[in-house]
Amino acid sequence: MDEPSEVMHFEQRLVVEGRIEQARGAVVMLSVNTPYGGSYDSETLKDMVVRWGKVTIFCEDDSEVLTGRMQEDYPTQFVYTGTEIIGQAGKSYRLEVEYSNQLWSATTTIPPQAQLSDIHIEPIDKDRYTITATLPEGSNAYSIDCSLDGKAYYAPTVFGTHEATDSPQRITINRPLDDLLRTGYSTYFGPEDRVRLRLNTLTDFAFDYWQKWENNLINCINPVFPATSNPPTNISNNGIGIWAGYGATYYDLGALGEYLKPSN
């Protein structure tokens, strides 16, 4: 068989998922991409994580080098965190990553916080619960993240990215996206689920990124509407991913079945 006339060239790139929100320090995950269609095991995936980068946050005249540490709840199981530069709404923050003799950077601002209202938990039957809430009206877009069973990492929820509206918007909050590829996924929560939610106020770029990221993840399991484009990025030097500021508000709902009994 003749060799193909062209061989697809793979370029390894840095992948960043970083956030800073008001009243909290920065959290950054780093990894590298991998060729499409390869074979992977747990050791291969561990090698994709960047553990020896230098991650620095700048705000006005201040700077902080983040500390890397193991954190099993996070997708990379390793995160860089900050405690000295604490986010404030309206301020700008620059991220710099040094790794393998290269430099990447990105800049973001933190939008104002917002509040969910009328959070309502409804049993469908003894094993399935829905959570609904009302988003505020205004010029900001929002996303909903969820942590189950006390995990430190808040994962985006399925269909959890919402555009700005001129009136309050009633939404259903689904289980996290990181459960989507598991066998038997359901959007419903169970009575034993200990649920914590995070409402993120989004910048325009963050809304564009998370909406397309969510669509790609959902479409990747749909052969009729496959993912065909990458999410945008604000990472320089041909990096991939996002560095964003968020107005974040947290809600601890506890174990749903502890205070709400199904009707049947």
Side-chain angles (χ1 to χ4, degrees):
M1 180 181 294
D2 294 336
E3 292 294 328
S5 58
E6 293 185 10
V7 177
M8 183 176 294
H9 173 68
F10 170 71
E11 179 184 7
Q12 191 166 79
R13 301 164 67 182
L14 183 75
V15 183
V16 178
E17 184 183 328
R19 67 182 290 127
I20 187 167
E21 57 193 64
Q22 78 296 327
R24 293 175 183 249
V27 178
V28 177
M29 291 184 287
L30 300 177
S31 59
V32 293
N33 63 334
T34 187
Y36 174 77
S39 59
Y40 309 106
D41 55 26
S42 59
E43 291 304 314
T44 304
L45 295 175
K46 287 180 181 179
D47 290 341
M48 294 167 57
V49 178
V50 174
R51 298 180 179 83
W52 307 108
K54 179 182 179 182
V55 182
T56 309
I57 306 299
F58 299 86
C59 179
E60 299 174 344
D61 295 329
D62 295 328
S63 65
E64 178 186 10
V65 177
L66 305 190
T67 301
R69 61 188 178 92
M70 298 299 296
Q71 176 51 272
E72 293 185 356
D73 287 350
Y74 280 71
T76 57
Q77 299 187 351
F78 189 90
V79 296
Y80 298 85
T81 59
T83 58
E84 297 175 13
I85 291 183
I86 303 301
Q88 297 182 47
K91 286 193 173 184
S92 294
Y93 299 85
R94 188 172 88 255
L95 168 75
E96 286 191 358
V97 177
E98 298 176 58
Y99 174 66
S100 190
N101 297 318
Q102 295 190 64
L103 178 67
W104 294 262
S105 65
T107 301
T108 190
T109 58
I110 297 180
Q113 283 179 289
Q115 296 284 340
L116 292 171
S117 60
D118 190 24
I119 300 174
H120 186 65
I121 301 166
E122 179 72 21
I124 302 301
D125 53 38
K126 65 182 181 64
D127 296 318
R128 298 181 299 166
Y129 287 67
T130 62
I131 302 174
T132 59
T134 300
L135 289 173
E137 62 185 287
S139 58
N140 292 109
Y142 302 99
S143 67
I144 307 289
D145 299 334
C146 177
S147 165
L148 295 177
D149 303 322
K151 292 183 178 179
Y153 180 68
Y154 283 73
T157 56
V158 173
F159 302 117
T161 306
H162 303 276
E163 297 184 74
T165 60
D166 294 331
S167 60
Q169 178 183 2
R170 191 73 185 167
I171 62 169
T172 297
I173 299 171
N174 299 310
R175 289 184 71 87
L177 268 168
D178 60 359
D179 286 349
L180 187 61
L181 300 181
R182 298 177 184 175
T183 301
Y185 172 80
S186 169
T187 59
Y188 298 110
F189 293 88
E192 303 303 320
D193 285 330
R194 303 190 66 85
V195 179
R196 293 185 296 170
L197 303 175
R198 179 171 65 195
L199 172 66
N200 302 297
T201 307
L202 304 179
T203 62
D204 290 342
F205 170 76
F207 170 73
D208 189 29
Y209 177 90
W210 286 114
Q211 183 183 56
K212 291 178 179 176
W213 182 88
E214 175 185 86
N215 288 342
N216 279 359
L217 185 59
I218 292 172
N219 288 341
C220 76
I221 61 174
N222 186 338
V224 180
F225 300 103
T228 58
S229 61
N230 292 324
T233 181
N234 61 347
I235 310 300
S236 71
N237 193 22
N238 205 30
I240 303 172
I242 183 172
W243 163 246
Y246 301 90
T249 308
Y250 290 78
Y251 303 86
D252 189 347
L253 305 186
L256 304 189
E258 287 183 358
Y259 57 91
L260 182 67
K261 299 297 182 182
S263 58
N264 59 331

